[in-house]
Amino acid sequence: NNDNPVNPENPVQRVIEVDPAGNIVWEITGLAQPHEVQELPNGNLLIADTYFDRVIEVDYDTKDILWEWNPKYIDWGLINTNWSDPDHFYNSPFNYDWSHINDVNFKQYPMWNACLISIRNFDLVVEVNHTAERANENQNANNWSNIVWYYGDYGNYSMIKHQHNPEYLSSGNVMIADSNNARVIEVDYATKEIVWEFTDDGDVGWCRDADEMANGNILITDDDRVIEVNYTTKEVIWSFEQDLVLPYEADELPDGNILIGTGGSGFVFEVDKSTGKISWQYGFSFIKTEFYMNCLMILVFNSLQLTMVLAGFQFQSRRLFGAILYGVLIAFVLFLLIFYADVLYFFNSISILDDSIYV
């Protein structure tokens, strides 16, 4: 349904806040595949409500939507005359997830506040004057003149291609995970030139986040790893790859640990950077659970066949009987190996948890 891509009452489409014990202490529903949430200095939340093609500001206490920015209301031709054609993609909100807004970042300038918004399907990052948008009870909201900076152009992949998570840097420049170009770039805010680029000699895949760390290095979330890169030498000096399936975002915490959110794996966890072990997690690994279930299904199916044989059911081929027996053994061994690895890793993680609780 183009007007309503998901059921607003679906409890899965939500943003939640959890405490250290894993209890949900706050949530908001009625969203559509939200990709990013950021707390504002006043306690409100900015949410990239992706499949509804919007950024919203939500009152934390009441959960009321105080402001909404949607690219379908922008006259893009007034920003760039090359975007004036009514048939241009920017002017054609023809279906759900048309824009795929996947990130919003907030910055306080001396005299005004800004939102840096990633519009993935536009191949475009825009900076919106949040102060002007919210002035006079949003009377000037979704005005093209409030877009004060942009980088990218639809289909111009020499700039960016289906990017993720643009971030403000301390220098004033903008760091972008240029996902489909398999690189991370730093864009000079004034000149819009690329002044830093990281590809790891072609090893970067579908990267989806890049943040400046407290020490000046860059924390990059790649398609199968999270790495710390020395900004000057571009050397990978730290890496975490365990149990990662399409990690989406990683943030450096005040204590130096790394908080990682996964897309494919289905859970969020905190990694002790000094040991490389998980010290906290929320959720469960969908991929690992699926693997367990597949092993169990093979085991059950082949066990039933083996039971039929032992009960007197005759197979015409000994080769078929042997294949069934081997199938049972292989499934059982795989299950034991994964289970053993999980138990071993669980107890290693618990020791770190105990240390963090009592130190």
Side-chain angles (χ1 to χ4, degrees):
N1 186 316
N2 289 342
D3 297 323
N4 195 20
V6 298
N7 180 359
E9 303 303 321
N10 186 338
V12 175
Q13 307 294 335
R14 61 179 180 167
V15 169
I16 62 173
E17 177 186 353
V18 298
D19 64 18
N23 301 308
I24 297 176
V25 297
W26 185 92
E27 70 174 313
I28 183 171
T29 58
L31 308 174
Q33 289 287 327
H35 276 47
E36 178 72 17
V37 58
Q38 183 166 22
E39 184 180 17
L40 298 180
N42 63 5
N44 291 344
L45 300 177
L46 282 178
I47 300 174
D49 194 8
T50 304
Y51 280 13
F52 280 151
D53 298 300
R54 63 181 183 171
V55 172
I56 56 176
E57 180 179 344
V58 175
D59 184 293
Y60 181 87
D61 295 320
T62 66
K63 302 180 185 178
D64 292 334
I65 295 177
L66 305 177
W67 170 70
E68 175 180 329
W69 187 88
N70 192 316
K72 72 180 181 181
Y73 299 123
I74 302 299
D75 189 340
W76 293 99
L78 295 176
I79 300 171
N80 186 326
T81 55
N82 293 327
W83 304 339
S84 298
D85 191 329
D87 294 328
H88 192 284
F89 186 81
Y90 293 179
N91 304 315
S92 306
F94 53 85
N95 61 4
Y96 86 90
D97 197 29
W98 155 66
S99 64
H100 198 93
I101 293 177
N102 58 22
D103 190 63
V104 58
N105 199 246
F106 184 78
K107 180 176 181 176
Q108 289 182 298
Y109 287 100
M111 301 299 294
W112 56 288
N113 299 328
C115 292
L116 195 64
I117 300 172
S118 171
I119 315 177
R120 190 199 71 175
N121 289 353
F122 283 26
D123 304 313
L124 185 69
V125 174
V126 297
E127 184 179 37
V128 175
N129 186 328
H130 179 258
T131 302
E133 285 275 317
R134 296 283 282 115
N136 300 318
E137 298 183 352
N138 302 341
Q139 290 185 14
N140 198 36
N142 292 284
N143 191 309
W144 70 271
S145 64
N146 293 333
I147 296 178
V148 296
W149 184 88
Y150 69 87
Y151 181 80
D153 188 8
Y154 181 69
N156 184 355
Y157 300 145
S158 66
M159 300 180 76
I160 48 177
K161 182 179 181 181
H162 277 35
Q163 75 291 335
H164 287 78
N165 286 320
E167 300 282 343
Y168 290 108
L169 300 180
S170 57
S171 64
N173 291 343
V174 175
M175 184 75 72
I176 303 173
D178 189 9
S179 307
N180 283 28
N181 280 329
R183 63 179 182 172
V184 172
I185 59 173
E186 177 185 349
V187 177
D188 186 291
Y189 185 88
T191 66
K192 297 186 180 180
E193 294 180 353
I194 296 175
V195 295
W196 188 89
E197 180 178 358
F198 179 78
T199 64
D200 199 15
D201 296 324
D203 286 341
V204 169
W206 191 34
C207 55
R208 292 197 283 179
D209 189 26
D211 298 339
E212 183 179 26
M213 303 178 71
N215 60 10
N217 291 338
I218 307 300
L219 185 68
I220 296 175
T221 305
D222 205 356
D223 57 2
D224 59 356
R225 59 181 179 159
V226 173
I227 56 177
E228 178 182 353
V229 176
N230 183 292
Y231 179 84
T232 303
T233 66
K234 299 184 181 180
E235 176 188 2
V236 176
I237 61 175
W238 181 84
S239 178
F240 182 85
E241 302 180 24
Q242 183 168 316
D243 205 19
L244 288 180
V245 179
L246 293 179
Y248 188 80
E249 186 167 1
D251 293 316
E252 182 184 28
L253 300 177
D255 62 1
N257 286 354
I258 306 298
L259 188 68
I260 301 173
T262 64
S265 295
F267 64 112
V268 178
F269 51 90
E270 178 182 345
V271 177
D272 186 310
K273 192 164 174 284
S274 62
T275 65
K277 295 179 180 178
I278 294 176
S279 58
W280 179 87
Q281 73 177 50
Y282 178 82
F284 63 94
S285 173
F286 172 79
I287 298 297
K288 191 179 293 182
T289 302
E290 186 176 38
F291 188 82
Y292 274 137
M293 294 303 298
N294 285 334
C295 286
L296 285 173
M297 287 176 66
I298 294 172
L299 188 62
V300 170
F301 178 73
N302 286 330
S303 296
L304 286 174
Q305 289 183 311
L306 186 60
T307 301
M308 292 172 64
V309 172
L310 296 176
F313 185 84
Q314 297 296 319
F315 279 95
Q316 295 180 353
S317 171
R318 290 186 177 182
R319 184 175 297 177
L320 180 58
F321 172 73
I324 292 172
L325 183 59
Y326 279 124
V328 172
L329 292 175
I330 290 172
F332 185 65
V333 169
L334 283 174
F335 179 79
L336 287 180
L337 285 174
I338 298 296
F339 181 74
Y340 172 75
D342 260 3
V343 170
L344 186 65
Y345 190 74
F346 173 77
F347 282 109
N348 285 338
S349 298
I350 287 298
S351 66
I352 301 299
L353 274 172
D354 289 342
D355 289 343
S356 66
I357 290 171
Y358 293 108
V359 167

